[in-house]
Amino acid sequence: MPTARGLTVPDLPEDPAQYLEYIKALNLFETASYSGADQGRTRQYQEEAGRVALQSQFSDYGEYLESLEMTAEVKAFDSFHFPRIAQLTQRSNQFNLRTVRYTEQEIAELAEDENHLTMYFTLRDRFGDYGLISVAVLDKLEDKTIFISEWLMSCRVLKRGMEEFIMDEMIRAAGKNGFDMVVGEYLPTAKNKMVEDLYSRMGLQSMGNGRFTVRVRDYIMHETYIRRR
């Protein structure tokens, strides 16, 4: 059985009936390792296949979203999630309004700073758990104004209503903390054009130069098929 540069060329038996047993005996296709990441990716593919199959049963997209039975969790940054939050800020490019990168230590400092409101979001549906998929940081400014200095989201959950859900939650957080105005900013990069009109679509008014604003009391909440858990 000759080998060359890592290639194995088996000398097959003369009898074709013996091929299968011969190949099995060589262990050429034995899996040496199967990591947790491999298992996770396989699960994600299976879950997404289930979603695609379900969507094909509906002509109305809203009915499809409702059938997913989506639930989201909204919480302030905590030490357990610091690594994942920092990772998202480092890797997210497309759905990223300002594309600010943070280290894990900087995320920890934000969480402890009373001048910021920090929020992370998870999403789950009937097929599985997407995990932590979005991060937002709101800076407390003077004169009852709060500024969205960080908002990014995994593209895996696009077209689920999660953008609207998150915007609504940021407005609620601003109101609960005594702020009257919310300001957002879009800083264009080579990769984030998909969110250039996001704030306009969410109902904020353009101030020019990539900035948008809305008064908390004037903001109209969106209808989504996502329930907060």
Side-chain angles (χ1 to χ4, degrees):
M1 182 172 59
T3 62
R5 298 192 179 191
L7 297 177
T8 300
V9 183
D11 296 321
L12 295 174
E14 293 184 4
D15 184 355
Q18 298 177 5
Y19 285 0
L20 181 59
E21 290 301 319
Y22 178 75
I23 293 296
K24 282 184 177 181
L26 295 179
N27 287 325
L28 295 176
F29 304 103
E30 181 180 9
T31 301
S33 64
Y34 186 66
S35 69
D38 293 330
Q39 186 178 20
R41 280 191 292 271
T42 299
R43 185 178 65 252
Q44 289 175 7
Y45 296 148
Q46 293 171 340
E47 292 169 356
E48 192 59 29
R51 296 180 185 106
V52 171
L54 179 65
Q55 183 179 351
S56 68
Q57 301 175 23
F58 294 90
S59 59
D60 182 90
Y61 192 69
E63 292 181 359
Y64 161 64
L65 292 180
E66 186 175 15
S67 74
L68 286 175
E69 302 171 6
M70 294 179 288
T71 60
E73 184 178 50
V74 186
K75 288 190 175 181
F77 291 1
D78 57 63
S79 58
F80 179 80
H81 289 97
F82 287 169
R84 171 59 175 162
I85 293 168
Q87 180 189 60
L88 272 179
T89 70
Q90 293 291 332
R91 296 183 178 181
S92 298
N93 295 304
Q94 293 180 288
F95 194 110
N96 198 331
L97 276 299
R98 299 184 73 244
T99 317
V100 182
R101 311 300 191 185
Y102 293 94
T103 65
E104 190 173 335
Q105 178 60 37
E106 288 169 336
I107 291 297
E109 292 171 357
L110 282 173
E112 297 171 359
D113 190 339
E114 293 183 355
N115 292 317
H116 304 280
L117 296 180
T118 62
M119 310 172 75
Y120 73 77
F121 300 81
T122 68
L123 182 66
R124 178 186 302 167
D125 66 17
R126 61 188 288 185
F127 292 99
D129 194 342
Y130 284 101
L132 196 159
I133 46 80
S134 185
V135 172
V137 178
L138 286 66
D139 299 349
K140 301 177 181 179
L141 306 180
E142 298 178 358
D143 64 14
K144 298 287 186 176
T145 299
I146 201 162
F147 174 65
I148 305 172
S149 63
E150 183 71 27
W151 183 13
L152 57 88
M153 189 178 78
S154 169
C155 292
R156 293 185 298 128
V157 295
L158 287 173
K159 298 183 179 180
R160 298 286 189 271
M162 199 64 195
E163 305 97 303
E164 291 82 358
F165 179 89
I166 293 170
M167 189 74 239
D168 291 358
E169 289 298 323
M170 288 193 290
I171 296 293
R172 287 192 181 98
K176 288 179 180 179
N177 284 273
F179 293 93
D180 297 330
M181 301 291 295
V182 175
V183 176
E185 183 178 40
Y186 166 69
L187 297 179
T189 70
K191 297 183 178 180
N192 73 349
K193 187 175 177 60
M194 69 180 299
V195 293
E196 66 177 344
D197 65 342
L198 178 65
Y199 283 124
S200 295
R201 289 190 283 113
M202 294 298 106
L204 280 67
Q205 300 297 313
S206 175
M207 302 167 62
N209 296 320
R211 288 210 166 193
F212 301 81
T213 187
V214 67
R215 191 178 297 276
V216 171
R217 70 186 183 193
D218 295 335
Y219 179 83
I220 300 175
M221 295 291 173
H222 297 86
E223 180 182 356
T224 72
Y225 297 95
I226 302 171
R227 178 174 56 84
R228 181 170 178 170
R229 67 175 189 267

